Amino acid sequence: MKFFVDTADVPAIAELNDLGMVDGVTTNPSLIAKSGRDILEVTREICAMVSGPVSAEVTATDADTMIAEGRKLAKIADNIAVKVPLTWDGLKACKTLSSEGNMVNVTLCFSVNQAILAAKAGATFISPFIGRLDDINLDGLQLIEDIRVVYDNYGFDTQILAASIRTANHIADCAKIGADVITAPPAVIKSMASHVLTDKGLDAFLKDIASAGIKIL
Ligand code: E4P
């Protein structure tokens, strides 16, 4: 399973990247706005740091402008994946940009039918949003499972990039289902290391280290 980091926070990406935890990065307009940085500048910086795909999202809603923006974003670096929304115009842009040899991430996917269309339009990645479905009492993980079945039924090679991940449990469940990639905020990825029994066990060891005066260095 590949790990993408869902942020435009460069120091946070660097920390995980140094540990070998970063196979790619996803950004979106909200994350760029949160960074307070210029989209082209921050995206260039991330692309130089990370060798895997870096998703950068278009801002237009019509296909022609999305294609023009996508071509400009793709010039930033070889590892750019142009991110387009799952609208009819977004699918047109996906078809054109992927036919030109660019990686394309089709985002804001909330149904199996949308995922089928993205695969047929040549998407490199499809981004189903788990958390936002859960937010409205639908089942985000079920959507990942259903897309996995359908893509495998027909041998679609579009990669399932599970997005809108809110908890470490989402990541474990995506791994069991067979999502190709997860993208999660740095804090969620780091929280995968936490376990109450690890903390409890370490506390007990530290007490014994102190009482026995155990020293290594
Ligand atoms: C990633 O590509 C998505 O933009 C992101 O995961 C959305 O997450 P959110 O629903 O927590 O904003």
Side-chain angles (χ1 to χ4, degrees), residues 111-203:
S111 75
V112 172
N113 281 338
Q114 289 181 316
I116 293 171
L117 291 174
K120 291 186 85 68
T124 314
F125 302 103
I126 182 68
S127 290
F129 277 35
I130 297 173
R132 293 193 196 185
L133 282 167
D134 290 354
D135 287 345
I136 57 164
N137 298 321
L138 294 173
D139 190 342
L141 286 166
Q142 186 62 51
L143 176 60
I144 304 292
E145 207 169 325
D146 292 345
I147 296 171
R148 179 76 283 156
V149 169
V150 171
Y151 277 12
D152 288 350
N153 281 349
Y154 296 100
F156 287 128
D157 56 12
T158 299
Q159 296 179 53
I160 302 173
L161 196 176
S164 189
I165 282 182
R166 307 277 169 78
T167 66
N169 284 347
H170 278 156
I171 298 176
D173 287 333
C174 283
K176 288 187 233 167
I177 291 165
D180 299 290
V181 191
I182 59 91
T183 189
V188 175
I189 292 176
K190 287 170 89 171
S191 77
M192 293 169 75
S194 301
H195 199 289
V196 65
L197 291 179
T198 305
D199 296 342
K200 199 176 160 193
L202 188 56
D203 278 350

Side-chain angles (χ1 to χ4, degrees), residues 4-7 25-31 55 57 83 105-108 110 127-133 135 161-166 183-185:
F4 288 4
V5 193
D6 199 23
T7 186
V25 172
T26 51
T27 65
N28 63 35
S30 307
L31 294 170
S55 290
E57 189 160 345
K83 205 172 180 190
N105 175 358
V106 180
T107 190
L108 291 168
F110 295 96
S127 290
F129 277 35
I130 297 173
R132 293 193 196 185
L133 282 167
D135 287 345
L161 196 176
S164 189
I165 282 182
R166 307 277 169 78
T183 189

Side-chain angles (χ1 to χ4, degrees), residues 38-54:
D38 172 73
I39 181 172
L40 300 177
E41 180 195 287
V42 72
T43 305
R44 192 171 297 112
E45 205 175 316
I46 295 168
C47 286
M49 184 197 313
V50 172
S51 54
V54 174

Side-chain angles (χ1 to χ4, degrees), residues 74 78 80-82 94-104 122 124:
D78 288 344
I80 283 285
V82 179
C94 174
K95 181 70 187 163
T96 299
L97 291 166
S98 61
S99 303
E100 291 173 356
N102 300 297
M103 289 187 283
V104 180
T124 314

